[in-house]
Amino acid sequence: MANVVQAKNAGSEDPILQYVTFRLADETYGINVMQVQEVLRYTEIAPVPGAPAYVLGIINLRGNVVTVIDTRQRFGLMNADTTDSTRIVIIEVEKQVVGILVDSVSEVVYLRESEIETTPNVGNEESAKFIQGVCNKNDQLLILVELNKLMSDEEWAEVAAL
Amino acid sequence: MSFDVDQDILQDFLIEAGEILEQLSEQLVDLEQSPDDPDLLNAIFRGFHTVKGGAGFLQLTPLVDCCHVAENVFDTLRKHQRQVTPELMDVVLSALDTVNEMFDEVRSGQMPDPAETELLNQLEYYAQPESEAGEPPVSAGADITEPPAAPVEESVVPEPPVAAVNDAEGDITDAEFESLLDALQGEGGPPSTPATASDPVSTSGDVPASGGDDITEEEFEALLDQLHGAGQSPTSVENENTPPAAQSSAGVAGASGGDDLITDDEFEALLDELHGSGGAPVQKSEPSVPTAPAVSKSPEPQKAAPAEVASTPATPSPARPAAEKKVVAKKDAAAPAAEATVRVDTSRLDDIMNMVGELVLVRNRLVRLGGESSDSELAKAVSNLDVVTADLQTSVMKTRMQPIKKVFGRFPRVVRDLSRKLKKEINLRLIGEDTDLDKNLVEALADPLIHLVRNAVDHGVELPDLREQKGKPRVGEVVLAAEQEGDHILLTITDDGAGMNPDVLRRKAVEKNLLDQDAADRLSDQEAFNLIFAAGLSTKEQISDVSGRGVGMDVVKTKISQLNGTINVWSEEGKGSRIIIKVPLTLAIMPTLMIMLGDQTFALPLVNVNEIFQLDISRANIVDGQEVLVIREKTLPLFYLKEWLVPGADVSRDLKSGHVVVVSVGTQKVGFVVDQLIGQEEVVIKPLGDMLHGTPGMAGATITGDGRIALILDIPGMLKHYASSTR
């Protein structure tokens, strides 16, 4: 897949980027496809006592233990019940493999870099910091998430120091 | 200084040579025990030779030089021209150390520094036959005027009766060798074939004795005679690879290849003769490269060092078949060794291990489903799968196992060096070298064991005279034993030395403020012995570079506990000491007690669990806000695990009965109230991952038979975190 993307990038001033879109509450978010490893159906998440609040728990990913982050808590949303369409997206950030819990995963969209607009500063400090930009596609607002900023620098540092 | 070589080749060299060097250290110590073992001598000779060959290929000149002289020493030894003496062994062992150092430098990507001149000189001294080398090594060194980098021998070394010209050195490729023979025979005419027969100077037996791969001085001369006599031009032969530079540079050329112990004079004589006989000047086709090509099959004639080629015309004389046989034998020996093993990255093994673990889980699920179904065909297939998976799992486990020999192997050397240094006489006995244990464990055990063995040699075994006074044999014995005991490996280090005096230990502990007098007096002897694991305690009055600083034993203890192992000391004054280490077979699997809290499963490491009983809540008392139980007249703090580990759980204190697991942490015992007991289970520990690593009280996670996750509790960590925060 990487080759395809690169091939398209080559010779083009306005590279095409691929984003995986997922829904959380009533919004659609996008994450860079290169950071997504796989999408899982909801499996039971074992809570870890004493873990930070943004950690939902751990899951068994074919014999490996993967931490799942509570995206709703991160985005300042209310907790919701899991449904049939609830998914765990396994992503790789800063050389760590983590899962994020989302309401549903929709599709992979192709965006030109020029289509991405900077975030309208609506003042929601809590969630704005990890928004990379927004994009209007087919009359729908797509919020692009910068996964590296899903946790603050201090939190990454905290994780790294552990 | 860095150097630029093909990384793949370098890596191969590092791995291969690394193994050879490890073996060498073992073999050298063995050699001291049986100095006349020809197989051993040959093996060591080959070892140095192979390393030299590889290093030569990579142009690691200092390494080549050092290996080369060491190799010469063993060539002399295996021809019985010198006896193995402790002094010689010291030199050779320090040469091995030097080679190892260089090797480390190479590994870190640096060009190694040349070996110390003194060492090389000493080695050279020992490389001479005893009868010839009258001079002590030091003065031999003084004679040498050349810089150390060029191990020039011929100008100094008196001519040995049997010059060590080794065609087996791999300096000449087979093809070259053959063509050379052909050429010589074709051109040199009949005289060259019956070389030995027509040889006027040839002395008896020398050639066959040395395995046919060495050329004696006499033969060399005979060859010269023949060449001379033949009166034909050997030029075509020389064209291929005679560098001798034919010209006046011969002396220099010979020097760099001085390996063969051919003196300059002879060399020049040869050249002269070649000139004379051939008429046409020999063409020098290649520049001389002072390093030897790596392998005998190396298709790089241009690398053949001058002197080696100089030996080439000589080689044909020792009856052709002999030489050929040698080459064939070499091939035979190399082939099976190369194919018997495959190197696999350990991380790949870990992956396989992981996947097999997953397969086992799927199997378990299938077995459960198969049990519910009434289809007999399915049941058959499932039971088949069951067996195959179990076999697969054991085989994969076995691939990770290594014999403990890997660690034990280095001890003969350690003990030998130490005992020589401390002027003690010690015999090391190894038992159960073939005991297999997990690779990681083998590596992790190396340091603690070395420490303990050093201690046994330094503190344990007494000086020979003292031993005699005490009526013990002069030679002390240190026994290192390993055996499998159920799911544990038992390692014991026993010495028949002085043993320990518990009172001295008590006194020392008080002196060093580790304990007060009362506490020290209360210790049982056994507990007193365990004081040696306390930091800062050494009973040795004098500090040496071997031991005596009082650090170390506590490190050993920590290391062993990290491996989930235990360490114990037994000692009797005057009789000796024994240190007993118990470690699990593998680090990956841990026996646990599975419990339920609410609907979550947790695993308590079984090493901590003491007992389990039904709680009668009426027996619980509250002391200073802490619930306690009185069990067999001992009070036991009681904690509700659910309160700690299940957020928002409501713990009803008025239950009539519950399960209490008594765990021990250090000397303290604590009771945990749990909802349900599932049972004992061996689990594979999975790390929690970077993000959760270090979460208080959690040692890791594991996957249960039904694919769910169970957290493994780290009991000391959990108590520290939760018990202190609730109080």
Side-chain angles (χ1 to χ4, degrees), chain B residues 26 28 30 41 46 48 65 149 175 227 247 271 274 288 309 349 383 389 430 457 481 528 556 560 597 625 718:
Chain B
E26 250 174 84
L28 283 175
D30 286 350
L41 281 169
R46 271 198 305 275
F48 274 116
D65 292 344
L227 284 172
Q247 291 80 15
L271 289 172
L274 285 172
S288 58
V309 186
L349 278 184
S383 68
T389 328
L430 301 176
V457 173
V556 169
I560 299 289
L597 298 172
M718 186 171 65

Side-chain angles (χ1 to χ4, degrees), chain A residues 57-111:
Chain A
I58 50 180
I59 55 164
N60 167 21
L61 177 63
R62 291 187 301 279
N64 288 316
V65 173
V66 174
T67 312
V68 180
I69 293 178
D70 188 352
T71 336
R72 283 180 169 266
Q73 193 268 351
R74 283 280 93 179
F75 287 16
L77 300 167
M78 297 294 290
N79 284 336
D81 292 333
T82 57
T83 64
D84 257 3
S85 54
T86 302
R87 295 287 183 273
I88 297 169
V89 183
I90 305 295
I91 54 172
E92 195 184 332
V93 200
E94 317 249 307
K95 288 185 184 150
Q96 296 185 44
V97 176
V98 294
I100 55 173
L101 189 71
V102 300
D103 286 357
S104 69
V105 170
S106 329
E107 56 177 340
V108 175
V109 295
Y110 291 81
L111 299 180

Side-chain angles (χ1 to χ4, degrees), chain B residues 246-284:
Chain B
Q247 291 80 15
S248 55
S249 66
V252 182
S256 59
D259 330 356
D260 327 5
L261 304 179
I262 298 168
T263 66
D264 285 2
D265 291 349
E266 280 173 293
F267 195 78
E268 283 195 271
L270 168 72
L271 289 172
D272 287 345
E273 279 176 11
L274 285 172
H275 269 268
S277 59
V282 180
Q283 289 176 12
K284 184 183 178 228

Side-chain angles (χ1 to χ4, degrees), chain B residues 342-399:
Chain B
V342 177
R343 285 180 215 286
V344 181
D345 202 333
T346 30
S347 67
R348 195 165 297 175
L349 278 184
D350 290 342
D351 286 350
I352 296 177
M353 187 79 178
N354 222 345
M355 284 187 271
V356 169
E358 276 303 286
L359 188 63
V360 169
L361 292 181
V362 176
R363 192 256 337 245
N364 291 351
R365 245 176 281 179
L366 263 181
V367 168
R368 205 169 301 167
L369 287 175
E372 288 164 10
S373 146
S374 54
D375 189 339
S376 69
E377 279 299 303
L378 178 71
K380 234 189 245 171
V382 167
S383 68
N384 219 337
L385 177 74
D386 192 11
V387 175
V388 174
T389 328
D391 285 356
L392 181 65
Q393 196 181 16
T394 18
S395 331
V396 173
M397 288 286 268
K398 268 193 195 144
T399 57

